[in-house]
Amino acid sequence: MPHHFNLSQGVQHAQSDADLGFFDAPADLRAAHGGPLHPKHWAKRFPPMSQRMAVLFIDGDVEARYGATGASSLQSAKSAHGHAITSALAAGGVRYGWTRDQFTEALLDWTSAGGRHVRNMSMPSAHKYIDKVWERALKCVGTGSSIGSRQDAHFDLIKLREQISSACWRGTAGSTALRVLLAYWKAAYKAGGRIFTLSYREAAEMAGCTTRTAYLAVRKRLNGWLRLMESGSGEKGSRWMLMQDRSQRRHTPKGAQPGGAQSNVSDLRNGDLDGAVVSRLMSLDAFAHRGLGASSLKLLAALSRNDGQSVAELTESAMVSPATAYRHLKRLAEHALVVRSEGIWNLTETALEALSGLWDGWSGIAAEVGTEGTAQRRLELHKAQRLMWHEITLPRLRQRQMPDVTPVRGDEVRPEWVIDGKVVDPVTGEIVSDLVVADDGRLLFAEEEPSYEELVRRNQLAQAA
């Protein structure tokens, strides 16, 4: 089932006690557009739907929430983008009581931007396609549950955490993606619903990784779990929506095998982790990259869910290789967190206290493995970066955008910009040391032979100004 249809989109999510509705109030399609659409005012023919879906129906994906495509995009990318829009519109129509005939008429008989993907098909193909999309929307929206209070929203998020911790997170990249996703889950739980605001730096601090690692995990591994609702700009953070990635089937690299056309598709066995343990411990210095690591964290989370497992069982529940399991279990045993008895590994009393948050010995383990202070150094780095952004970078960007300010160019200068033969940036007041004033009033580079890369950079800056 495509990721455009999932239970998360069929659920109403509470954000606060004052505003418990996830979807906007139903809006007439013509009112959502802000004016008359066509001579016959076709929007009056159809039931109201959410404001967001109404705008999507009329104007299309103007905010690029379902993927950005351009004139140079591949046809497959454009088709996937159109399918995502049609799927979202079908789900919105089902939620607000549309019929299949009304949905078909709105897509095919009127020149709305949201139906462009379907109108490009032949008529028989379009009707078959609409039937499939509508049936999937009925199935997915019908299995959703309505959320009417903050408590219901928290229960929904806890259920989603169980689904996250039981998904397939194999390998180093999978382990990192799990931690990053649970960081976004913690932000959603704090916000009280699946829509929340979070920056990559904040996610990295909660997940115990670098900002670059968090960014790559979101972009490459978590497309089915997270949807970017609104990109951050200036002092405004990015808004995200948590979803459920239901795609657990992967193609094996071996190609087709005997037994039928679908024999090259395998169901990867998912893990069985305690998501609460992972989200509670992942930011500690002891589980940093050079410390115990994500594999030790997953082994502890697997034993927390089901204590007393063999190495063969842990390779499946913790989603690690046998060699990795042996290596990390040995390290955990050295710190008195696990114990082996007749081939079965169990948590110690110390580990049970540690996993429940009643033990303060993690700092000692971090000191032993050499990762003590990692989180604090990351916090200080992010603090310095935020200070640089808010006090230096952001004010300069705002000043550069002012229409009455003329920035320094590489081919001319004004008399008021020259002080003692030095060129002064009119915006920042700083001396542009690598430029001097020629006799004819033009600017010259102070260096005799700047590099080719430097010339290209300065030319780009001059053109941008």
Side-chain angles (χ1 to χ4, degrees):
M1 180 176 298
H3 70 274
H4 312 298
F5 290 109
N6 52 71
L7 299 182
S8 63
Q9 294 188 15
V11 181
Q12 295 181 340
H13 308 295
Q15 296 193 60
S16 65
D17 292 329
D19 183 14
L20 295 174
F22 169 73
F23 296 105
D24 300 327
D28 183 86
L29 295 184
R30 185 182 57 173
H33 186 269
L37 296 174
H38 304 286
K40 296 182 179 180
H41 298 313
W42 67 275
K44 290 184 176 181
R45 296 176 56 85
F46 309 110
M49 63 191 322
S50 70
Q51 182 78 12
R52 183 180 302 168
M53 289 295 103
V55 173
L56 181 63
F57 224 131
I58 297 170
D59 298 327
D61 188 18
V62 294
E63 298 180 355
R65 290 182 174 177
Y66 299 89
T69 58
S72 60
S73 300
L74 297 176
Q75 185 61 35
S76 58
K78 295 180 180 179
S79 178
H81 183 240
H83 175 66
I85 295 175
T86 308
S87 302
L89 292 175
V94 171
R95 292 189 187 103
Y96 286 91
W98 285 43
T99 65
R100 191 268 188 196
D101 293 337
Q102 290 173 331
F103 181 67
T104 303
E105 182 182 356
L107 289 178
L108 297 179
D109 296 348
W110 306 97
T111 58
S112 59
R116 187 180 298 115
H117 174 66
V118 180
R119 290 195 301 273
N120 289 334
M121 304 178 183
S122 64
M123 191 59 63
S125 299
H127 281 281
K128 292 181 180 179
Y129 174 74
I130 292 175
D131 287 338
K132 292 181 179 179
V133 172
W134 189 256
E135 289 298 325
R136 290 173 179 172
L138 287 173
K139 181 179 179 181
C140 293
V141 176
T143 56
S145 58
S146 178
I147 293 179
S149 66
R150 179 175 290 271
Q151 185 178 13
D152 292 340
H154 284 170
F155 285 151
D156 173 65
L157 287 172
I158 292 175
K159 181 180 178 180
L160 178 61
R161 186 182 62 184
E162 295 301 313
Q163 295 168 347
I164 292 173
S165 59
S166 62
C168 183
W169 305 105
R170 298 184 181 273
T172 303
S175 302
T176 303
L178 169 62
R179 296 168 67 162
V180 173
L181 180 57
L182 286 177
Y184 280 84
W185 179 91
K186 291 175 68 174
Y189 190 84
K190 183 178 180 180
R194 295 201 187 192
I195 292 183
F196 56 94
T197 302
L198 189 68
S199 68
Y200 289 113
R201 290 191 182 96
E202 293 172 326
E205 293 169 2
M206 290 188 288
C209 63
T210 64
T211 305
R212 179 64 177 173
T213 301
Y215 173 82
L216 293 177
V218 171
R219 293 301 182 185
K220 295 184 177 182
R221 303 278 303 194
L222 301 177
N223 290 331
W225 294 96
L226 287 171
R227 171 171 292 175
L228 181 62
M229 305 294 292
E230 183 178 355
S231 298
S233 59
E235 297 179 351
K236 188 177 182 180
S238 299
R239 284 172 58 82
W240 301 88
M241 176 180 175
L242 270 178
M243 304 185 300
Q244 179 188 355
D245 188 358
R246 304 175 65 87
S247 58
Q248 296 298 329
R249 298 176 67 86
R250 300 291 189 271
H251 289 274
T252 64
K254 298 180 181 180
Q257 300 294 320
Q262 297 296 325
S263 60
N264 65 326
V265 179
S266 62
D267 287 322
L268 294 179
R269 298 186 62 181
N270 294 338
D272 189 15
L273 304 176
D274 190 341
V277 170
V278 178
S279 61
R280 187 183 301 121
L281 304 181
M282 62 186 181
S283 61
L284 297 177
D285 292 340
F287 296 98
H289 176 60
R290 301 296 181 181
L292 296 180
S295 296
S296 294
L297 180 59
K298 290 198 299 184
L299 288 169
L300 291 175
L303 290 174
S304 176
R305 174 62 63 86
N306 185 16
D307 200 7
Q309 299 185 54
S310 64
V311 172
E313 293 172 335
L314 285 173
T315 57
E316 296 295 334
S317 59
M319 295 167 289
V320 295
S321 65
T324 301
Y326 277 113
R327 183 172 67 254
H328 284 269
L329 286 172
K330 182 180 179 181
R331 298 186 66 182
L332 293 174
E334 293 175 353
H335 296 289
L337 295 175
V338 296
V339 62
R340 180 184 180 184
S341 177
E342 297 181 356
I344 302 298
W345 292 89
N346 293 272
L347 296 173
T348 62
E349 293 294 332
T350 301
L352 293 175
E353 295 180 5
L355 299 185
S356 61
L358 302 177
W359 189 61
D360 56 356
W362 292 117
S363 58
I365 294 180
E368 294 180 18
V369 298
T371 57
E372 186 179 17
T374 301
Q376 183 62 33
R377 289 191 295 270
R378 184 179 295 114
L379 288 174
E380 293 175 356
L381 174 62
H382 291 170
K383 182 179 180 181
Q385 292 174 345
R386 293 186 180 101
L387 184 65
M388 177 70 70
W389 171 260
H390 287 287
E391 295 190 0
I392 298 179
T393 306
L394 190 58
R396 287 188 176 183
L397 290 176
R398 289 172 175 170
Q399 291 172 347
R400 292 288 186 182
Q401 294 173 356
M402 294 174 61
D404 57 343
V405 174
T406 304
V408 174
R409 295 180 60 88
D411 57 355
E412 60 184 13
V413 67
R414 292 184 178 181
E416 59 268 21
W417 297 351
V418 182
I419 300 178
D420 297 331
K422 300 290 186 179
V423 181
V424 178
D425 191 319
V427 177
T428 64
E430 299 175 348
I431 295 177
V432 186
S433 58
D434 53 353
L435 291 176
V436 295
V437 183
D439 294 338
D440 59 356
R442 303 179 73 84
L443 300 183
L444 300 176
F445 292 121
E447 302 95 323
E448 295 182 358
E449 295 182 358
S451 64
Y452 176 77
E453 291 78 9
E454 182 65 15
L455 288 173
V456 173
R457 184 185 70 84
R458 291 172 180 175
N459 182 51
Q460 292 175 346
L461 290 176
Q463 292 179 356

